[in-house]
Amino acid sequence: MTSIKEQAAISRLLSFLQEWDNAGKSLRTQILTTFIETNQGKTGPELELEFSQGASLFLIRVTTWLRIIYMTGLDLEMILRSIGIFLSAVSSNRYLIEFLEIGGVLTLLEILGLEKIKEEDKKESIKLLQIIANTGRKYKELICESYGVRAIAEFLAKSKSEETQEEVQVLLDTLVHGNPKYQNQVYKGLIALLPCGSPKAQQLALQTLKTAQSIVGATHPSIVDCVLMVLSTVHLEVQYEDSSILQITTQLPVFLQQAAAAKTIGILARSDLNLAEEMLHLRVIHSLMSAMGNTDHSNSQRLASLTLEYFVQMFPLVEEHVRNSMGEELYQLFLSDAEILYTKIDSIQADILAANKVNVTRALDSCDHINNSCISFSTSSDASNQVGGISDFEKLHSESRE
């Protein structure tokens, strides 16, 4: 049986809910104003205590009212701020789930695209989306799955308030972090913002792009034309951000060629060991290691690393020089997984690679000078499979020397 105190609390809750149900717009606004003033910063358990373990009943009513009136363009600020108290409360995951189950995310995103709704109300919607995104990866994915990136980016481009635009930037930055499934979607959305007519949006998009680029890694080709277009701007704040991203974008065609060259070298070397040896005389090892240090283009790093791995496996002389140049710690990282080495190295190790002085050619020339080739090949099972018959190659090599 419930105690007299509990019965009184339940009675107060029912009376409050009945007052809400019977209230018009003006009275409901007053109720929400009082709720915000008295409950700001409370935890989930504290809200439950305030509402006699029935806080969800009030949240459902407020959310339902939001869904009923948001398309009319009526003042939504108090409604959204009240929902924010529930969603931001510590130990309040149940409130978030309840809000999402009735389509809360879609409602917030639709609010951003409605012309009748005031800018201040849309900013409150952005703040709620921030709370949701900060809750965890699956909630970021939910926003993105609901076509959220497009709605948020379009709102940033159209917004007339710099304060609101900065709130949108915070949200986009949150969505690009810890969201591997949709980080490329956010990245492309930021690129699409660059040609927009709002200088502030361009500036914020460029700022966030610098972070997104480091997370995504591979550079999308469309960024070149977009950044070049932004270069013509007369707005100093946009020019300032351009200066820090230009190194990546203006050199992108060269980086793409570098990555393609690293891949092609690998294909050719694997197809013909004689050709692979000739490449050693052209300082291919030095060039591959330099490309591995190109932190501005991850695909160049990855493909160069894979090609270098082949040369190291096939030629002990190359292995010796590469190990000495890299140092033992970096070399062991390289051996553990060449394809993802670029994700593990720090800036100092990248500099070591980029500034390497490896010169296998000099060692080869010294051997040739005394008519005694130092080239020998790994005899491991993996190497044999790649070569397809070392004895045949040695015969061809001997013929080529004659």
Side-chain angles (χ1 to χ4, degrees):
M1 295 179 62
T2 58
S3 66
I4 295 177
K5 185 177 180 180
E6 290 172 335
Q7 289 177 353
I10 293 172
S11 178
R12 286 196 300 273
L13 173 62
L14 294 176
S15 177
F16 172 78
L17 295 177
Q18 186 176 19
E19 179 185 17
W20 172 268
D21 292 340
N22 295 329
K25 177 183 178 299
S26 179
L27 180 55
R28 286 187 174 183
T29 301
Q30 292 177 21
I31 293 173
L32 292 177
T33 300
T34 303
F35 170 75
I36 293 169
E37 291 173 352
T38 57
N39 295 282
Q40 191 74 47
K42 284 188 175 180
T43 64
E46 287 173 336
L47 287 172
E48 287 301 315
L49 184 62
E50 176 73 18
F51 284 91
S52 306
Q53 309 305 312
S56 291
L57 296 175
F58 182 52
L59 173 61
I60 290 172
R61 281 167 165 78
V62 175
T63 306
T64 301
W65 190 36
L66 170 67
R67 289 181 57 79
I68 291 173
I69 72 164
Y70 80 93
M71 295 190 71
T72 65
L74 296 175
D75 187 13
L76 303 175
E77 184 179 357
M78 290 296 109
I79 302 175
L80 295 170
R81 288 179 61 189
S82 298
I83 294 173
I85 288 177
F86 283 101
L87 301 189
S88 62
V90 176
S91 303
S92 62
N93 194 56
R94 58 177 289 189
Y95 302 142
L96 176 60
I97 293 173
E98 290 167 357
F99 179 70
L100 298 180
E101 284 179 344
I102 62 172
V105 165
L106 286 174
T107 301
L108 296 176
L109 293 173
E110 288 178 17
I111 285 173
L112 300 180
L114 295 177
E115 295 183 1
K116 294 181 179 179
I117 297 177
K118 295 187 299 184
E119 184 94 355
E120 190 63 29
D121 296 341
K122 292 182 179 182
K123 184 172 76 171
E124 292 299 327
S125 182
I126 288 292
K127 288 181 178 180
L128 291 185
L129 288 167
Q130 289 175 0
I131 294 171
I132 295 169
N134 281 320
T135 304
R137 173 177 167 178
K138 67 178 181 180
Y139 299 103
K140 296 176 186 179
E141 291 178 351
L142 176 61
I143 292 173
C144 295
E145 288 166 359
S146 304
Y147 302 98
V149 174
R150 178 176 179 178
I152 294 165
E154 288 180 352
F155 174 56
L156 174 57
K158 295 177 181 178
S159 174
K160 304 301 181 184
S161 164
E162 292 193 357
E163 183 180 346
T164 300
Q165 288 176 312
E166 288 169 358
E167 293 288 352
V168 179
Q169 182 198 26
V170 172
L171 176 56
L172 288 170
D173 186 71
T174 301
L175 291 176
V176 84
H177 283 87
N179 189 14
K181 187 175 180 180
Y182 290 103
Q183 64 188 22
N184 275 301
Q185 187 183 100
V186 182
Y187 172 57
K188 292 175 183 177
L190 291 166
I191 294 174
L193 271 169
L194 296 183
C196 78
S198 168
K200 184 65 175 180
Q202 290 176 325
Q203 179 191 16
L204 296 174
L206 286 167
Q207 288 176 357
T208 313
L209 259 176
K210 285 181 283 187
T211 302
Q213 187 65 71
S214 64
I215 293 172
V216 172
T219 308
H220 196 277
S222 67
I223 195 174
V224 178
D225 290 337
C226 290
V227 171
L228 292 177
M229 186 184 302
V230 175
L231 281 176
S232 62
T233 182
V234 296
H235 299 279
L236 295 179
E237 68 274 22
V238 180
Q239 291 178 9
Y240 175 80
E241 302 299 336
D242 271 337
S243 63
S244 59
I245 202 171
L246 269 180
Q247 282 188 329
I248 296 176
T249 55
T250 56
Q251 297 184 50
L252 179 60
V254 177
F255 294 160
L256 292 175
Q257 292 172 16
Q258 183 185 62
K263 182 177 181 180
T264 303
I265 289 170
I267 293 171
L268 292 173
R270 288 178 176 87
S271 67
D272 188 335
L273 261 176
N274 191 30
L275 184 56
E277 182 188 338
E278 293 301 323
M279 290 180 183
L280 295 181
H281 287 274
L282 300 174
R283 294 203 68 188
V284 68
I285 304 303
H286 164 75
S287 299
L288 288 171
M289 291 180 66
S290 295
M292 288 167 63
N294 181 8
T295 55
D296 287 330
H297 200 249
S298 60
N299 206 32
S300 286
Q301 293 179 288
R302 183 179 68 86
L303 292 170
S305 185
L306 287 171
T307 298
L308 180 67
E309 180 183 40
Y310 172 77
F311 280 99
V312 166
Q313 290 172 346
M314 296 310 303
F315 303 105
L317 179 65
V318 173
E319 178 185 15
E320 177 188 350
H321 280 71
V322 170
R323 183 193 291 267
N324 291 338
S325 177
M326 286 187 177
E328 195 61 31
E329 181 181 353
L330 179 55
Y331 185 71
Q332 291 303 323
L333 276 178
F334 169 68
L335 286 185
S336 65
D337 195 333
E339 185 167 12
I340 63 170
L341 175 68
Y342 73 96
T343 66
K344 297 181 178 180
I345 61 175
D346 56 31
S347 58
I348 295 176
Q349 292 170 324
D351 288 342
I352 290 173
L353 291 167
N356 81 88
K357 303 298 183 183
V358 171
N359 194 344
V360 178
T361 305
R362 185 179 303 162
L364 292 173
D365 289 344
S366 298
C367 295
D368 289 342
H369 183 69
I370 59 175
N371 297 318
N372 180 27
S373 173
C374 341
I375 289 288
S376 59
F377 308 103
S378 170
T379 56
S380 68
S381 58
D382 288 343
S384 325
N385 291 334
Q386 294 184 67
V387 174
I390 291 177
S391 58
D392 289 340
F393 172 77
E394 289 175 336
K395 181 180 179 182
L396 289 171
H397 178 69
S398 176
E399 292 173 354
S400 69
R401 290 290 186 187
E402 294 175 354

